[in-house]
Amino acid sequence: MKLSYDLHTHILPGIDDGAKTPEEALILIDSLRNQGITHICLTPHFYTHKEDIVDFLVRREEAKRQFLSLVPDDVQVKVGAEVYVTKYLFTEERDLKALCIEDTNYMITEFSYDSTFSDNTMRMITYLRDRGIFPIIPHVERYPHLMKHKDKLLELIYGGVLIQSNAVSFTKFSSKRKLLRMVRDGYIQLLSSDTHSMTRNTPVAMTEAIKFISDKCGVESVNSLIMNAEKVFYGK
């Protein structure tokens, strides 16, 4: 059983701390393809407190234009962004859907890892939801408050937020048991690689994570992750 969709990667070359060159990017795509992944979202970091949205979109479009023709024909890619959400994202009335995964209303929304998801943070999430955007909180395991307070996770989920975990975290002794319980209990809906290189969040972890989840939680849990990823990729 394989997960064919990877919704969170840093493969688009030369735009953030992921792949630096087209050659590195193609190696990552080839590695993901060897895991059975044929649908990939290219989601470079966008730091809203450091760069204007227009400047980011211009950089991303240029990187996409140069890279897209190199992608193998049997791999489908979409662009998006991993948006570091701060107040500066909302200083002007803008169409923020350009930051969503292409042709969808799903946006990967990163926050400070020490966030307690206070009223102010929840207002920013509500602002996105009111505009038809479904936030995806990536690598939930990096947020101590969310890992400790399941009630806050449930509040987010009931509010239309999806929760994603990184595959590599299921290969680490310190986190995998707790993440397994969260998958089993429905607190995690998505699994992605967040790959940056062959050594940082390696694509190979995707296969290892799926096997581990299948062995410990059962096929139904894996099927749910697969189905959720497919729905997000196609904007369902």
Side-chain angles (χ1 to χ4, degrees):
M1 183 176 300
K2 295 184 181 296
L3 182 65
S4 301
Y5 300 84
D6 192 352
L7 305 174
H8 180 186
T9 74
H10 297 272
I11 289 176
L12 193 63
I15 192 169
D16 65 2
D17 59 345
K20 301 305 179 190
T21 65
E23 291 77 17
E24 289 181 24
L26 290 173
I27 288 171
L28 292 172
I29 285 180
D30 189 55
S31 181
L32 285 172
R33 187 170 54 174
N34 288 341
Q35 317 307 312
I37 294 169
T38 54
H39 299 70
I40 302 171
C41 295
L42 312 177
T43 53
H45 288 288
F46 170 40
Y47 294 105
T48 57
H49 58 308
K50 294 182 179 180
E51 184 176 17
D52 183 78
I53 183 173
V54 174
D55 294 337
F56 170 77
L57 292 174
V58 168
R59 287 198 305 117
R60 188 186 67 178
E61 184 60 29
E62 180 60 17
K64 174 187 172 183
R65 184 188 65 79
Q66 294 183 21
F67 182 62
L68 227 54
S69 62
L70 303 177
V71 176
D73 292 338
D74 59 347
V75 175
Q76 184 177 347
V77 299
K78 289 187 173 187
V79 297
E82 182 177 3
V83 182
Y84 187 79
V85 180
T86 67
K87 64 181 180 181
Y88 299 103
L89 185 64
F90 310 105
T91 53
E92 297 178 25
E93 189 64 33
R94 297 186 175 104
D95 181 7
L96 299 179
K97 290 188 178 179
L99 298 170
C100 293
I101 294 170
E102 196 172 352
D103 299 322
T104 81
N105 290 332
Y106 292 99
M107 180 191 293
I108 298 178
T109 51
E110 184 179 29
F111 298 88
S112 172
Y113 295 150
D114 62 1
S115 175
T116 60
F117 290 81
S118 64
D119 290 346
N120 182 57
T121 301
M122 298 303 286
R123 277 193 294 270
M124 291 191 287
I125 290 173
T126 299
Y127 181 97
L128 294 172
R129 287 294 296 115
D130 287 347
R131 281 148 186 80
I133 292 172
F134 293 91
I136 298 172
I137 293 183
H139 35 64
V140 64
E141 55 272 23
R142 298 184 187 175
Y143 296 91
H145 188 79
L146 293 183
M147 294 297 287
K148 184 177 180 181
H149 297 280
K150 299 299 191 300
D151 56 330
K152 180 58 70 172
L153 268 177
L154 284 176
E155 181 182 350
L156 289 166
I157 293 167
Y158 289 150
V161 177
L162 294 174
I163 307 299
Q164 178 248 311
S165 183
N166 283 358
V168 71
S169 298
F170 287 85
T171 69
K172 297 177 179 178
F173 181 80
S174 60
S175 59
K176 62 183 181 180
R177 297 294 175 183
K178 189 165 189 176
L179 291 173
L180 273 180
R181 290 194 296 273
M182 293 174 69
V183 169
R184 185 184 298 116
D185 295 340
Y187 292 105
I188 292 172
Q189 296 85 47
L190 298 169
L191 181 75
S192 297
S193 72
D194 188 20
T195 189
H196 285 65
S197 69
M198 290 303 293
T199 56
R200 182 180 175 190
N201 297 345
T202 169
V204 177
M206 290 291 274
T207 296
E208 296 180 34
I210 286 294
K211 184 179 186 307
F212 184 63
I213 294 169
S214 179
D215 289 346
K216 301 298 183 180
C217 295
V219 173
E220 288 186 3
S221 291
V222 174
N223 282 339
S224 180
L225 293 171
I226 292 172
M227 183 172 59
N228 291 339
E230 180 179 5
K231 286 180 178 179
V232 169
F233 191 86
Y234 289 111
K236 299 179 181 177

